[in-house]
C-alpha cells in the first residue's frame, strides 16, 4: 500500500486552518440545510486544525454569506485604459456604407 508522507498530509491539514463555515441554529432534529431555513440564525465556526470553534454569530443566511465571502460583496475596480466605443463605425463586411 502506498502511504503519503506525513509532511504532505500535515501541509494539506494546515492549509485548511482558518476555514469558516456557517451552521444553522435550529432546535431538535430540524432540517440543517441552509436553503430550508434562510431566516434562521447561524453560528459561524472556524477550523483550528483539530475542532470547529465558535467564531461569530449571524442573524440569517444573507448575513452569514457576507461573513464567509467578504470578497463577493466588494465592488470591482474598473480596469484602467481608454474607454471603448461599442458601436463605433467599422470597416467590416457586415457594416452598411
Amino acid at each position: 500500500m502506498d502511504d503519503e508522507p506525513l509532511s504532505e498530509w500535515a501541509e494539506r491539514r494546515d492549509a485548511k486552518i482558518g476555514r469558516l463555515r456557517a451552521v444553522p441554529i435550529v432546535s431538535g432534529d430540524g432540517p440543517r440545510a441552509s436553503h430550508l431555513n434562510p431566516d434562521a440564525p447561524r453560528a459561524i465556526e472556524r477550523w483550528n486544525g483539530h475542532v470547529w470553534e465558535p467564531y461569530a454569530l449571524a442573524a440569517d443566511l444573507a448575513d452569514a454569506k457576507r461573513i464567509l465571502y467578504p470578497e463577493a460583496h466588494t465592488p470591482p475596480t474598473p480596469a484602467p485604459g481608454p474607454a471603448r466605443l461599442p458601436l463605433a463605425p467599422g470597416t467590416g463586411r457586415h457594416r452598411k456604407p
Side-chain angles (χ1 to χ4, degrees):
M1 186 168 157
D2 295 330
D3 289 334
E4 69 178 321
L6 184 59
S7 61
E8 290 179 14
W9 173 82
E11 286 177 23
R12 201 174 67 244
R13 184 197 65 192
D14 291 343
K16 296 177 184 179
I17 292 176
R19 182 177 288 178
L20 299 176
R21 74 174 182 181
V23 179
I25 302 173
V26 293
S27 61
D29 292 333
R32 296 180 58 99
S34 64
H35 67 283
L36 296 178
N37 292 320
D39 296 330
R42 303 290 197 270
I44 308 298
E45 298 176 338
R46 182 178 179 272
W47 181 250
N48 70 3
H50 301 284
V51 295
W52 291 97
E53 59 187 14
Y55 180 75
L57 289 176
D60 57 6
L61 179 61
D63 193 25
K65 285 185 177 183
R66 278 191 289 276
I67 295 170
L68 294 176
Y69 311 109
E71 64 277 351
H73 299 287
T74 57
T77 57
R84 192 172 157 233
L85 299 175
L87 299 175
T91 58
R93 278 189 324 194
H94 61 283
R95 303 287 180 163
K96 292 184 178 180

